[in-house]
Amino acid sequence: MIRYYLKMAWRNFSSSKLFSFLNLMGLSIAIAICIPLFLFVCKQYSFDNFFSKKDQIYRVNLITHDDDPATWAHVPNAVAPALMRDIPEVSYAARMLKNGFGTPASLRVGEQNYKEGLLYWSDPELFKIFDFEFIAGDGRSPLNDNNSVAINESEAKRLFGNKNPIGQPILVDNKTQLVVSAVYKDLPDNSSIDPALIANFKSNRLSKSIYWSNASYETFCLLRKGADAGAVSKKLPELIKKYVKTEDDRWFDLALQPLSDVHLHSAHISDTYISRVGDIKTVRQLSLLGLLIVVIACINYMNLATAKSEKRAREVGINKTLGATRYQMIGRFYADTALTVLLAVIVGFALSFGSLFLFNAISDSHLHITELLSRRTFLFLGVIWLIVTVLAGSYPAMLLSRSSALQLMQKRFAVGGMDRFLRKSLVVVQFSCSIILIIAVVIIYQQMMFISNKNLGFNPSGLAMINISGIRDKQSLESLTNSLKEIPAVQEVTELQSPPGFSASLRSLRKADEKSGPSLYTCYADANVVPALGLQLLAGKTLPDHLSATDSTVYVLANKKVVDYLGWTPQEAIGKKVNVELGDNAYIVGVVGDFNYMSLKRPIEPYVYYATNDAPESKNAMIVKVSTDQLMATMDRIKAAFTENVPSAAFDYAFLDAHLASLYNTEKVVQKTVLLFSTLAIFVSCLGLFGLSAFMAEQKTKEIGIRKVLGASNFSIGSMLSIDFLKLVVLAIIIGIPLAIYMMQKWLVHFEYRIRISWVVVALAAIAGLLIAFITVSYQSVKAARSNPLKSIKTE
């Protein structure tokens, strides 16, 4: 029986080449795009699952006491020792500090310099919390000595080639000498932590002072087996009270976040060293879009199959007359669908080798082509074949199998009104989805253009950021600065703690009579910060050029948010003392206009640049403002000057505008992904519309011939065939527009600075959808209208 079903299914597939081709193409495209989506989602959910104690590992987060509380992944460096000392449920706790608070390290091995952005300073307990597989050296206590460092396999090959790395020295930033004690295998790319080098925290100068104020340390802890994380969380407030004696200094709470949530549920958490941060919303959106394409392709199949059913009615009626049961007819229709879907799965799998590269390119993913040949992929294909067969084949099978043989044997069998209504409804659903996606693409594009053209309050164009954390002596730095100023294309040079787009030190701003105030970012800088960044000086002057050795004043250059909070005008603020947690001798010397030092997703907050002797922070970056004419030649000269003056440090630079653009990588991925899916959704929908219009033209061939003989024009024939479809598309537009606006307003809420949705733009997007549908059905309408009426009349 199954063989008979398959034989009949193949005959049916071969006899309707156009409809079979349209169904096959729609389903194949849907499956081809779903395969990389499936692999992407699987990888996102697999993060950190390979750690054997993953269910006992937690990250300690910090929640501020601001009016709008923020969650940080960084906590003070006193937290980890206190957890191990005071909370019995905690087995181990370890701090992770990225070198230079995120500034890439300059490594010197022998006579060679290397840039490294994944050097962490950590406690030895890190190796007891996470699983590392050691391949050389002392794997049991890799950080036993204070100056020891464990490195991964790739880093060992990069730094030492084929030499044995154990016992080899590495000089970090020209100040800290480390010795390689162990080599571990690279952690897989679905690990949240990604250290290339792990040095003993005790060899870092920041370990000399244990405090509860500055929060710059990512901290993980391992709970004992069976320990209740909720009970541990309840003990954290008491821990803060015990060690932070003054209530005014208790400006935060601590919270535990399970390791299983770190990758996909940390999009709202700032100040983290983890670069592989996912977003559960993105995973859900992509899954929804993939499902949408499959549903649209299934709707195509159902619509074309039910339309064809009017032609197959007599064949089914004969089968029923000869004794075929309803269940046998259902089986036969499902065999038709199963064969078509199976062919689509095969074609879709072949196309997925191309769609994988396309998906990697637009989503910045790194899915490997070998994953297509995994057992998981073939299992997914089997499941999707079954689901699509059941979903797409259900309606055609139920429709014809329930009709009686007498109804089916009538010369002009026609499906009922409800069936036609359902078919039209499916077309409306298809195009409503397409209209929503078109409008989404336009609005996302507008928002991204708005961001790229927004005045940030400073000019990032032509600003090269050079890492100077490896320069230890003042003389080399001055010599480098002078050499750079001699290059004609160099306009300004400034040194500062961190450029815009990077996190600075977080402190509090307080009025004289207040115990607490809003958060404020502070950045150690020099006098040239104003002309180099192009900041607008509203009052006063920039920071002083030189400070005498005995000068203990902290000179503050504040943005307008600071003086607004303090209740002063910019002019009134000059010379006033200010409490920004930089001592009792801080005075405002200048006020600049507000500027967006982070992404436009965040509001502008109080920010100050400061200059003083004995600053608690160091200047890690040099910003060089250059003319963009002959940019590469200028950068070559800058590199030559750097190498000549600082031969023992790696030259590491980036352009500020490119870095600021990277802050919106997630939104760019969404933009490209929605564009891809909207294009596919429209294309697959148009395949269905094309098939339905072809079917209608075929059904009305004789009517068209008679109308033409009676004098009907080509235009009236074309209108007769097109108008019904266009009415459905118009209805889809009416339904799709409000849904699209609602969804995009929810998306825009994530931006502090955003566009207003324009009805004109929405209307143009909807007209574009209507035009695409019109062009699709016009081909069949024009073809039918121009056919020979005599041939048309002879068709039946």
Side-chain angles (χ1 to χ4, degrees):
M1 182 63 75
I2 293 175
R3 189 177 173 186
Y4 168 74
Y5 285 163
L6 291 176
K7 189 176 177 182
M8 295 306 294
W10 176 250
R11 283 184 180 174
N12 183 47
F13 183 87
S14 307
S15 64
S16 306
K17 290 187 174 56
L18 175 63
F19 295 134
S20 299
F21 173 75
L22 294 176
N23 275 328
L24 186 62
M25 183 180 285
L27 289 169
S28 300
I29 290 172
I31 292 169
I33 200 65
C34 279
I35 292 173
L37 266 182
F38 167 75
L39 295 175
F40 171 78
V41 171
C42 286
K43 185 170 183 178
Q44 293 299 304
Y45 278 106
S46 73
F47 261 76
D48 301 319
N49 283 343
F50 60 90
F51 289 119
S52 62
K53 291 167 277 193
K54 62 181 185 299
D55 296 332
Q56 299 167 249
I57 300 174
Y58 291 80
R59 183 170 68 178
V60 186
N61 292 332
L62 180 150
I63 302 171
T64 65
H65 285 178
D66 294 339
D67 294 337
D68 184 15
T71 302
W72 305 348
H74 290 174
V75 299
N77 68 3
V79 172
L83 285 173
M84 290 181 61
R85 191 168 51 241
D86 290 37
I87 300 182
E89 291 92 336
V90 176
S91 292
Y92 301 105
R95 299 159 286 194
M96 291 185 74
L97 173 67
K98 213 168 193 177
N99 185 70
F101 303 102
T103 304
S106 174
L107 307 182
R108 189 161 180 83
V109 177
E111 296 300 315
Q112 297 295 318
N113 299 318
Y114 300 89
K115 168 193 167 188
E116 179 52 67
L118 297 175
L119 167 61
Y120 286 85
W121 306 86
S122 184
D123 298 302
E125 286 77 9
L126 187 77
F127 296 99
K128 295 176 179 173
I129 297 173
F130 295 98
D131 301 310
F132 288 84
E133 186 179 348
F134 289 93
I135 56 176
D138 184 2
R140 284 183 296 182
S141 53
L143 299 185
N144 200 32
D145 297 328
N146 285 356
N147 65 338
S148 54
V149 59
I151 63 177
N152 69 14
E153 195 174 5
S154 297
E155 191 70 2
K157 284 181 182 169
R158 186 172 80 103
L159 300 182
F160 302 104
N162 294 326
K163 255 172 71 176
N164 181 7
I166 304 302
Q168 296 293 332
I170 299 176
L171 182 62
V172 179
D173 288 342
N174 280 318
K175 63 178 176 183
T176 308
Q177 187 78 51
L178 301 175
V179 176
V180 179
S181 60
V183 179
Y184 56 88
K185 277 196 170 182
D186 294 3
L187 291 171
D189 62 357
N190 57 347
S191 166
S192 289
I193 61 170
D194 56 351
L197 299 93
I198 305 173
N200 195 326
F201 183 59
K202 287 180 183 172
S203 57
N204 191 296
R205 68 176 178 86
L206 295 170
S207 67
K208 311 302 178 196
S209 174
I210 303 300
Y211 43 78
W212 286 82
S213 52
N214 187 300
S216 300
Y217 303 82
E218 203 132 0
T219 298
F220 291 90
C221 65
L222 178 72
L223 301 190
R224 297 186 189 283
K225 267 190 177 178
D228 181 7
V232 175
S233 297
K234 288 177 182 174
K235 294 180 180 180
L236 296 177
E238 292 303 318
L239 193 74
I240 296 173
K241 280 182 185 175
K242 179 178 177 181
Y243 290 102
V244 185
K245 301 295 183 187
T246 310
E247 190 174 348
D248 294 349
D249 294 331
R250 296 180 202 142
W251 52 276
F252 62 87
D253 290 320
L254 298 174
L256 297 181
Q257 182 185 26
L259 181 65
S260 56
D261 286 352
V262 166
H263 180 65
L264 284 178
H265 299 272
S266 299
H268 66 292
I269 298 175
S270 59
D271 293 310
T272 176
Y273 296 132
I274 292 176
S275 57
R276 298 168 182 158
V277 179
D279 187 352
I280 189 64
K281 286 181 185 172
T282 303
V283 172
R284 288 172 181 161
Q285 286 167 355
L286 289 177
S287 302
L288 184 63
L289 287 171
L291 180 65
L292 193 64
I293 296 291
V294 172
V295 169
I296 288 175
C298 287
I299 288 175
N300 272 0
Y301 184 90
M302 294 161 75
N303 271 341
L304 292 176
T306 52
K308 279 171 56 183
S309 65
E310 295 182 18
K311 292 178 67 176
R312 297 185 63 188
R314 189 169 298 177
E315 173 198 338
V316 177
I318 293 172
N319 276 277
K320 283 199 163 187
T321 304
L322 295 175
T325 65
R326 184 184 179 190
Y327 293 109
Q328 287 174 326
M329 296 313 302
I330 289 175
R332 187 173 156 185
F333 279 107
Y334 267 123
D336 286 359
T337 310
L339 179 67
T340 304
V341 178
L342 179 63
L343 293 174
V345 166
I346 295 170
V347 176
F349 177 69
L351 292 176
S352 68
F353 285 82
S355 65
L356 186 76
F357 286 106
L358 179 64
F359 184 79
N360 279 339
I362 66 168
S363 65
D364 200 24
S365 299
H366 300 91
L367 300 173
H368 199 271
I369 199 163
T370 55
E371 295 181 53
L372 289 173
L373 303 175
S374 66
R375 185 186 302 173
R376 186 172 55 187
T377 303
F378 290 112
L379 182 63
F380 170 72
L381 290 175
V383 171
I384 202 167
W385 170 76
L386 184 64
I387 292 175
V388 173
T389 298
V390 172
L391 184 65
S394 59
Y395 186 64
M398 297 300 168
L399 174 66
L400 281 190
S401 64
R402 75 185 180 193
S403 302
S404 67
L406 183 60
Q407 288 175 309
L408 295 166
M409 292 294 287
Q410 288 175 355
K411 185 178 179 182
R412 196 75 181 173
F413 170 79
V415 294
M418 181 57 72
D419 303 311
R420 289 182 185 277
F421 173 76
L422 184 60
R423 194 191 308 166
K424 291 179 179 178
S425 300
L426 292 176
V427 173
V428 171
V429 170
Q430 269 186 324
F431 272 87
S432 295
C433 296
S434 301
I435 295 297
I436 290 171
L437 289 173
I438 291 174
I439 294 173
V441 167
V442 175
I443 291 176
I444 292 172
Y445 174 78
Q446 277 192 303
Q447 176 65 19
M448 298 311 292
M449 289 300 294
F450 173 76
I451 286 172
S452 60
N453 295 325
K454 177 88 170 59
N455 182 2
L456 301 176
F458 68 97
N459 183 11
S461 177
L463 297 184
M465 306 178 293
I466 300 174
N467 181 358
I468 57 171
S469 59
I471 303 176
R472 302 267 47 95
D473 60 292
K474 248 183 167 182
Q475 192 177 357
S476 296
L477 193 57
E478 287 177 4
S479 173
L480 172 62
T481 304
N482 292 332
S483 296
L484 293 178
K485 287 179 178 176
E486 290 174 2
I487 299 173
V490 171
Q491 298 167 351
E492 297 287 348
V493 179
T494 186
E495 299 155 25
L496 72 174
Q497 178 186 342
S498 57
F502 294 88
S503 183
S505 298
L506 194 61
R507 294 186 163 87
S508 291
L509 172 65
R510 297 179 189 178
K511 293 179 182 176
D513 55 345
E514 284 183 342
K515 293 182 179 178
S516 63
S519 299
L520 158 136
Y521 284 96
T522 65
C523 180
Y524 181 36
D526 66 17
N528 291 328
V529 67
V530 171
L533 293 180
L535 297 171
Q536 183 188 7
L537 195 60
L538 301 178
K541 57 187 180 183
T542 186
L543 298 170
D545 276 331
H546 300 286
L547 301 176
S548 66
T550 56
D551 191 347
S552 61
T553 306
V554 177
Y555 297 92
V556 172
L557 182 68
N559 73 349
K560 194 165 179 299
K561 281 280 180 186
V562 172
V563 296
D564 285 347
Y565 176 76
L566 297 174
W568 302 326
T569 65
Q571 289 73 22
E572 289 172 347
I574 304 304
K576 294 275 179 67
K577 195 172 183 178
V578 61
N579 185 352
V580 290
E581 295 185 340
L582 284 169
D584 296 330
N585 205 20
Y587 293 89
I588 296 176
V589 294
V591 178
V592 295
D594 289 333
F595 59 97
N596 288 95
Y597 49 87
M598 294 300 282
S599 83
L600 293 174
K601 290 182 277 189
R602 293 173 54 173
I604 295 175
E605 293 174 271
Y607 196 104
V608 300
Y609 288 106
Y610 74 93
T612 185
N613 287 318
D614 301 323
E617 288 90 10
S618 56
K619 294 170 184 171
N620 296 315
M622 176 181 281
I623 289 184
V624 183
K625 186 175 179 62
V626 298
S627 166
T628 52
D629 296 334
Q630 300 183 327
L631 189 58
M632 294 312 297
T634 302
M635 292 311 300
D636 286 342
R637 293 193 64 179
I638 290 175
K639 181 180 179 181
F642 187 95
T643 307
E644 181 184 346
N645 289 282
V646 198
S648 59
F651 179 63
D652 171 30
Y653 80 97
F655 286 101
L656 183 56
D657 51 1
H659 171 71
L660 293 176
S662 72
L663 300 178
Y664 308 102
N665 280 345
T666 303
E667 286 71 26
K668 288 174 184 170
V669 168
V670 171
Q671 181 186 16
K672 289 186 279 189
T673 307
V674 173
L675 177 62
L676 171 68
F677 279 92
S678 61
T679 305
L680 289 176
I682 293 166
F683 180 71
V684 175
S685 299
C686 287
L687 285 178
L689 203 59
F690 182 84
L692 284 177
S693 61
F695 174 77
M696 181 175 282
E698 184 181 323
Q699 289 293 90
K700 295 191 174 183
T701 302
K702 191 171 184 179
E703 179 186 343
I704 291 169
I706 294 172
R707 284 177 179 269
K708 291 196 73 173
V709 168
L710 294 177
S713 65
N714 289 346
F715 177 77
S716 64
I717 298 294
S719 300
M720 179 188 75
L721 294 173
S722 305
I723 198 71
D724 286 343
F725 290 113
L726 296 182
K727 282 179 183 174
L728 298 179
V729 177
V730 170
L731 181 59
I733 290 172
I734 294 170
I735 295 171
I737 284 177
L739 289 174
I741 291 175
Y742 171 77
M743 293 166 72
M744 295 317 297
Q745 281 176 336
K746 298 273 284 182
W747 181 77
L748 286 170
V749 165
H750 297 292
F751 293 87
E752 182 68 20
Y753 303 91
R754 52 186 178 265
I755 59 167
R756 291 173 64 89
I757 296 177
S758 165
W759 278 100
V760 175
V761 172
V762 171
L764 288 176
I767 290 171
L770 184 63
L771 191 62
I772 292 170
F774 176 74
I775 293 171
T776 304
V777 299
S778 291
Y779 174 77
Q780 290 298 337
S781 302
V782 171
K783 184 181 172 186
R786 297 181 64 182
S787 61
N788 187 334
L790 293 178
K791 286 185 179 178
S792 302
I793 293 172
K794 290 178 182 175
T795 55
E796 291 187 19

